[in-house]
């Protein structure tokens, strides 16, 4: 496996790292292109893009992880193109670069969080995309963000008191000698744990009753996503969706496009994988390893397909 | 300069150093008419702090290049885009990487003098390397880690809070004790843990540089102790408190740039180096 730092694109303003196998790559294999997760530069959250790229290169894939214009080390564009147009254009420049310098004809687009949306949109627009990997797609309107924040706050204080304070002799000593902040403890237990639990439960119940059409203000966007999933399935472009266990993004996805997930999974056009003991950014090393194994296993199918093609 | 680049954004990206331990580097070329004889190597912090401050570091480099400094940013072995997995054996590796970056910048820019700048652990490592090399013109220490032991404790608490906040099931998560095997995505070898515990800038016996800037958001006792220690070693030290966002720990999606802090550091470097 080797790594090369590259400046590419029309004005050579896009910065990327090209990871390649040590042996001559099979040009019929798709190259994997990784898109920035939010504003995190090309190493990915907790450096997982670096690890994924290296693992895939060892399997024979060429991998490009790069910074979109204005993110990481890539300069901002001077043409004022809106983001929804500049991302596909940057992706196009990445594909062209790989086609011109490495003879690549097909691509797997992948991304974490906001990067998964880029990967999906680019796949819908470009027939050369052979597969899409969506990792921890989050987002949604403010009500979902508030729901997510409340869940996490409630969980944090539950753990703080349940695993931290309750097992600390120092905290107990303070509690019984009048040196604890009783007001703060009461606020955390009542407001941050209990009240947040009530609010999150009512949000879930409300959404379950309302159904998917009323659970979001973005009906048109959901429609576009559903159409996109079907279009990719028809084009034989399988989708891998990976979520950290218990994430709000997974709940939202299951509520809004659950029936499509089920239908396309049954038709083997889509696979949903859930990683236990993982947070959104894969902080724990074991969760990073699990993610790498899932992605490796998904990409292995292309390796096998390529081996069959080359035997003819 | 390529006309599609704004001043300071004209960069070269490359790997340097031995192939089995190659380091990623990004060289910011100053506009030719402004080029100085002194370059600057920016030493990053590590892991979550490194990811969160990436944008601020890029801006720091761009602003230095705009006033004529050739600048090299780089990633330590086992971090960022550089070679190596998470399990780095000890801090001596990263100190050696800083020295390799200094040599790389000198060769690349045909420079006679180099300043170092660093944030958090990057500042601590830069200070140690400067004290060892004795050829560093100026040293900008931004929110420096003074005690490795205290820093380790901070990381342990951050790691624990992160798991409590984000993980839906913390029952089976690895225990976070005083000698954790991993923190915030960083695998901690026993040697690395020992190095953290032994890191103490107050035990430096050589002045790291003739001119030193210590800059922080809020005045802390540890930075004041460091100031007194460097003064005792007869370094010319300037201590500044400049309010700004805590870019090393803020949400990475905020990607804030601490404008006033960067401006203060660039202005100081412009004064101390040709």
């Amino acid at each position: 496996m080797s790594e090369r730092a590259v400046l590419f694109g029309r004005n050579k303003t896009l910065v990327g790292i090209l990871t390649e196998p040590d042996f001559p790559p099979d040009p019929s294999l798709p190259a994997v292109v990784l898109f920035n997760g939010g504003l995190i530069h090309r190493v990915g959250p907790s450096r997982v893009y670096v690890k994924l790229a290296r693992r895939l290169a060892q399997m024979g894939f060429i991998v490009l992880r790069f910074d979109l214009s204005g993110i990481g080390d890539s300069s901002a564009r001077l043409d004022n193109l809106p983001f929804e147009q500049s991302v596909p254009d940057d992706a196009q420049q990445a594909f062209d670069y790989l086609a011109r310098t490495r003879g690549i004809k097909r691509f797997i687009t992948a991304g974490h969080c906001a990067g998964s949306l880029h990967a999906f949109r680019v796949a819908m627009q470009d027939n050369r995309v052979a597969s899409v990997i969506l990792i921890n797609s989050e987002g949604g309107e403010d009500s979902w963000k508030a729901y997510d924040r409340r869940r996490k706050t409630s969980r944090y204080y539950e753990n703080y008191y349940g695993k931290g304070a309750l097992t600390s002799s120092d905290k107990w000593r303070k509690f019984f000698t009048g040196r604890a902040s009783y007001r703060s403890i009461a606020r955390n237990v009542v407001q941050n744990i209990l009240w947040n639990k009530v609010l999150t439960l009512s949000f879930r119940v409300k959404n379950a009753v309302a159904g998917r059409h009323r659970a979001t203000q973005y009906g048109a966007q959901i429609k576009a996503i559903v159409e996109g999933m079907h279009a990719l399935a028809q084009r034989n472009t399988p989708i891998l969706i990976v979520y950290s266990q218990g994430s709000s993004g997974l709940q939202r996805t299951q509520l809004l496009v659950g029936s499509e997930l089920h239908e396309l999974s049954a038709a083997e056009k889509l696979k949903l994988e859930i990683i236990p003991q993982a947070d959104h950014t894969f902080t724990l090393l074991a969760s990073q390893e699990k993610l790498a194994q899932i992605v490796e296993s998904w990409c292995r199918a292309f390796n096998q397909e390529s081996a069959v093609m080359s035997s003819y | 300069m390529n006309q599609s680049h704004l001043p300071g954004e004209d960069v070269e990206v490359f790997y340097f150093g031995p192939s089995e331990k190659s380091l990623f580097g990004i060289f910011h070329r100053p506009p030719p008419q402004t080029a100085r004889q002194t370059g600057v190597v920016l030493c990053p912090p590590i892991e979550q702090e490194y990811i969160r401050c990436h944008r601020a570091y890029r801006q720091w480099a761009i602003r230095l290049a705009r006033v004529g400094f050739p600048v090299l940013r780089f990633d330590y072995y086992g971090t960022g885009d550089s070679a190596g997995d998470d399990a780095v054996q000890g801090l001596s590796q990263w100190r050696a990487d800083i020295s390799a970056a200094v040599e790389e910048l000198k060769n690349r820019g045909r420079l006679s003098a180099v300043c170092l700048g660093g944030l958090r652990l990057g500042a601590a490592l830069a200070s140690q390397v400067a004290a060892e090399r004795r050829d560093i013109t100026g040293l900008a220490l931004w929110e420096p880690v003074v005690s490795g032991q205290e820093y380790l404790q901070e990381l342990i608490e951050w790691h624990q809070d992160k798991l409590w906040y984000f993980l839906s099931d913390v029952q089976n998560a690895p225990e976070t004790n005083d000698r954790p095997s991993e923190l915030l995505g960083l695998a901690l070898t026993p040697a690395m843990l020992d190095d953290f515990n032994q890191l103490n800038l107050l035990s430096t016996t050589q002045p790291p540089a003739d001119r030193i800037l210590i800059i922080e958001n809020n005045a802390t006792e540890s930075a004041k102790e460091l100031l007194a220690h460097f003064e005792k070693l007869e370094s010319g030290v300037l201590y500044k408190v400049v309010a700004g966002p805590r870019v090393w720990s803020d949400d990475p999606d905020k990607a804030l740039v601490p404008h006033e802090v960067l401006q203060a550091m660039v202005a100081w470097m412009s004064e101390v180096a040709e």
Side-chain angles (χ1 to χ4, degrees), chain B:
Chain B
M1 187 184 74
N2 185 331
Q3 288 309 304
S4 58
H5 295 111
L6 295 171
E9 294 189 22
D10 186 12
V11 296
E12 276 174 52
V13 291
F14 53 91
Y15 281 91
F16 65 97
S19 59
E20 71 284 3
K21 286 193 172 178
S22 61
L23 305 177
F24 171 76
I26 181 160
F27 176 65
H28 290 252
R29 203 180 288 111
Q33 67 278 12
T34 65
R36 295 172 189 250
Q37 286 308 301
T38 303
V40 181
V41 171
L42 295 182
C43 309
I46 56 165
E47 291 306 328
Q48 298 295 327
E49 293 186 336
Y50 153 80
I51 285 175
R52 283 163 162 77
C53 76
H54 184 271
R55 192 177 185 86
Y57 256 63
R58 179 170 183 267
Q59 283 299 319
W60 191 4
I62 287 172
R63 288 167 196 220
L64 285 166
R66 279 184 191 156
V67 296
F69 289 104
V71 183
L72 179 63
R73 289 191 287 134
F74 75 104
D75 292 336
Y76 307 115
Y77 177 73
T79 74
D81 289 314
S82 289
D85 59 18
D86 305 304
V88 179
Q89 284 310 313
L91 293 178
S92 57
Q93 174 66 55
W94 293 344
R95 284 192 288 267
D97 295 344
I98 293 175
S99 263
V102 169
E103 296 307 322
E104 179 67 26
L105 179 62
K106 278 184 171 176
N107 292 336
R108 196 165 278 270
R110 296 192 186 91
L111 302 168
S112 52
V114 168
C115 290
L116 292 177
L119 167 67
R120 307 285 290 146
L121 187 68
L125 296 173
S127 178
Q128 290 185 316
V129 169
E132 208 175 276
R133 290 180 60 103
R134 313 288 302 273
D135 65 349
I136 298 301
T137 305
L139 184 63
L141 306 177
W142 177 12
E143 213 79 29
V145 166
V146 178
S147 154
Q149 228 168 7
E150 284 173 20
Y151 180 59
L152 196 58
Q153 201 50 48
E154 271 181 55
L155 294 184
I156 289 171
E157 283 168 21
W158 186 1
H159 180 85
Q160 187 67 79
D161 279 356
K162 204 161 187 263
L163 296 191
W164 283 352
Y165 190 75
F166 287 103
L167 220 57
S168 63
D169 168 23
V170 289
Q171 296 297 339
N172 302 311
E175 283 290 314
T176 314
N177 50 34
D178 287 344
R179 287 189 71 80
S181 57
E182 61 175 288
L183 281 179
L184 299 163
L186 175 74
L188 283 168
T189 57
M192 183 63 96
L193 269 175
D194 291 342
D195 278 4
F196 271 123
N197 281 318
Q198 282 161 21
L199 173 71
N200 183 2
L201 291 192
L202 301 178
S203 65
T204 315
T205 53
Q206 298 290 340
D210 289 339
R211 306 290 296 272
I212 302 172
L213 169 69
I214 301 173
I215 192 163
E216 53 179 359
N217 269 2
N218 297 301
T220 62
E221 280 311 308
S222 60
K224 284 181 193 162
E225 282 171 14
L226 187 63
L227 167 70
H229 181 70
F230 285 157
E231 279 173 343
K232 217 184 296 170
L233 294 176
E234 297 183 350
S235 283
V237 199
L238 176 67
Y239 173 70
K240 284 190 106 159
V241 175
V242 180
R246 293 171 61 86
V247 291
W248 57 94
S249 60
D250 274 342
D251 181 347
D253 272 341
K254 285 186 184 164
L256 297 171
V257 173
H259 171 69
E260 288 177 40
V261 177
L262 297 186
Q263 201 168 3
M265 292 194 294
V266 172
W268 176 82
M269 239 169 221
S270 300
E271 275 173 28
V272 304
E274 286 173 27

Side-chain angles (χ1 to χ4, degrees), chain A residues 8-10 14 33-39 49 64 66-71 74-77 79-96 109-126 128-129:
Chain A
F8 66 95
R10 245 168 261 126
L14 296 172
V33 178
L34 287 155
F35 292 88
N36 297 109
L39 294 180
Y49 283 12
L64 177 65
F66 78 105
D67 290 327
L68 294 162
S69 297
I71 297 178
S74 293
S75 297
R77 298 172 69 110
D79 58 8
N80 298 318
L81 210 59
F83 198 57
E84 59 270 24
Q85 291 172 34
S86 70
V87 170
D89 187 65
D90 286 350
Q92 198 68 44
Q93 293 182 61
F95 290 178
D96 290 348
T109 54
H112 169 264
C113 194
S116 67
L117 290 178
H118 304 327
F120 186 73
R121 286 190 183 129
V122 168
M124 284 199 297
Q125 292 172 20
D126 196 317
R128 292 176 294 174
V129 177

